[in-house]
Amino acid sequence: MSEVVYEASEVRRARYAVAAVFAVHGAVTGSFATRVPWIQDHASLSTGQLGFALAFTAFGASCSMPLAGWISHRFGSRMALRGLISLWTLSLILPSLAPNLYTLCLAMFVYGASAGMADVAMNALGVEVERLLDKSIISGLHGMWSAGALVGSAAGTLAAHLGSNARLHFALAAVALTLLGVLACRWVLDLQPAEDEEPPPRFALPPRSALLIGAVGFCAVFAEGASLDWSAVYLRDRLEASAGLAAASTTGFMLTMAVARIVGDAAVNRFGAVRTVRAGGVLAALGGLLVVVAGHPAVAMGGFALMGLGIAVVVPLCFSAAGRSGPNPSQAIAGVATITYTSGLIAPSLIGGVAQATSLMVSFCLVTMLACGLAVFAGVLRAGDRDRPKVSPQAAAVPDPRP
């Protein structure tokens, strides 16, 4: 292959463009989450039926993620991301149109499938930009996702407060976010496969290189899902906190994760991925221990905040390590993403099942044990650590992926 030189300014633009795409992706999630009660009422669903329908989101994502690598190979990274992010933003409209359980399940499957494919495509491009810059940026990109989710959530909260119909809210949000996503994609890197390069399979099991990395991500996402879905219930039922204080615990957890991701790249660049995740695992385990022994809401809130701080950068670093662990970054990232999405699917229900059989305290003992696993198995992320830069600050040379 010949060498192609990316000017430093071109790589910087690509970094900001991918960050904008991450924010758009997060804004869709935040917008949807605030209108779930409206969707439940519109489709006349019980709590159990709603939970069943929402599970199709993760199911759709897990089924579709392996396709992302094939789509990027077929159309090139820029066109693939442009199409997938548009599909994701426009799919926001579908849940608001579902009149019953069956149509909502179908809508959530499509919603999750488009989310998963866009997720893989943008993470693969983020890892490539990170490789060119030879410094960690993936945590900050996921921080932009969290920031986008908070903005989307704030706009959705305002729409719900004003009594806006979710169909109108989602239609306006989808159009605006689609335009922003398509615009941002103008400046992402346009990677093309070589003429003789074999396309990845459309559907494949996660590659072996992704399994151990995915296991670390599984632990982090399990703790994240448990904290997001059950922290408010834990404070209300176990510690008799008010509804407002219980809700504030969830908000605080999300804010802690967002801030930690935005500033996390500095820690990764200084200490490396392995030591950062190992320290994060210790913090998350201490946070889980505080939650378990808490006798006052403030102590539990501090524990959830520590867990958010500890796990914030783990999933971004899993994607980074996966993208460097084999010859096909998209396929490896898809494998890790499939494992982590599966964790997000089973965590809330497993926590509820254990709590039903024993107590919420026992459930969070399980979360704490998994957080300890982050510290123990952080070494598998060594592929995410980089050597010192070997390129000039003016340009970065990489093999030309085009024929």
Side-chain angles (χ1 to χ4, degrees), residues 332-399:
I333 290 171
V336 170
T338 300
I339 295 170
T340 56
Y341 265 70
T342 301
S343 178
L345 172 63
I346 69 173
S349 56
L350 183 58
I351 290 295
V354 173
Q356 182 70 29
T358 54
S359 69
L360 269 176
M361 184 183 73
V362 175
S363 294
F364 276 92
C365 286
L366 173 61
V367 173
T368 304
M369 291 173 61
L370 289 175
C372 291
L374 297 176
V376 174
F377 298 109
V380 303
L381 303 184
R382 204 168 302 280
D385 281 332
R386 285 156 298 281
D387 298 326
R388 290 299 172 189
K390 298 180 178 65
V391 297
S392 71
Q394 286 74 35
V398 297

Side-chain angles (χ1 to χ4, degrees), residues 30 32 34 59 98 137 146 167-168 176 183 237 242 255 258 277 282 291 318 398:
F32 170 78
T34 57
F59 181 51
I137 64 165
S146 297
R167 284 172 290 191
L168 175 61
L183 180 63
D237 292 356
S242 66
L255 283 171
V277 170
V282 172
V291 170
C318 286
V398 297

Side-chain angles (χ1 to χ4, degrees), residues 172-326:
L172 293 175
V175 170
L177 292 172
T178 299
L179 291 175
L180 288 173
V182 170
L183 180 63
C185 286
R186 288 184 60 188
W187 293 284
V188 301
L189 297 178
D190 189 20
L191 306 176
Q192 300 286 343
E195 190 173 291
D196 58 349
E197 184 179 334
E198 287 287 332
R202 299 188 186 188
F203 293 99
L205 293 174
R208 189 175 302 174
S209 62
L211 293 179
L212 288 177
I213 297 171
V216 174
F218 182 97
C219 294
V221 172
F222 192 98
E224 180 181 350
S227 299
L228 282 174
D229 289 348
W230 289 98
S231 58
V233 178
Y234 191 93
L235 263 73
R236 184 195 65 191
D237 292 356
R238 177 169 168 74
L239 301 175
E240 300 180 348
S242 66
L245 192 62
S249 176
T250 303
T251 303
F253 176 82
M254 291 179 65
L255 283 171
T256 302
M257 285 198 67
V259 172
R261 281 176 169 173
I262 290 171
V263 304
D265 288 319
V268 178
N269 286 322
R270 179 166 183 177
F271 301 110
V274 173
R275 284 192 286 177
T276 300
V277 170
R278 190 161 284 147
V282 172
L283 286 177
L286 288 175
L289 185 61
L290 280 179
V291 170
V292 170
V293 303
H296 190 276
V299 177
M301 291 176 72
F304 283 118
L306 267 182
M307 274 205 286
L309 182 64
I311 66 177
V313 301
V314 177
V315 171
L317 291 179
C318 286
F319 287 144
S320 180
R324 295 167 178 272
S325 65

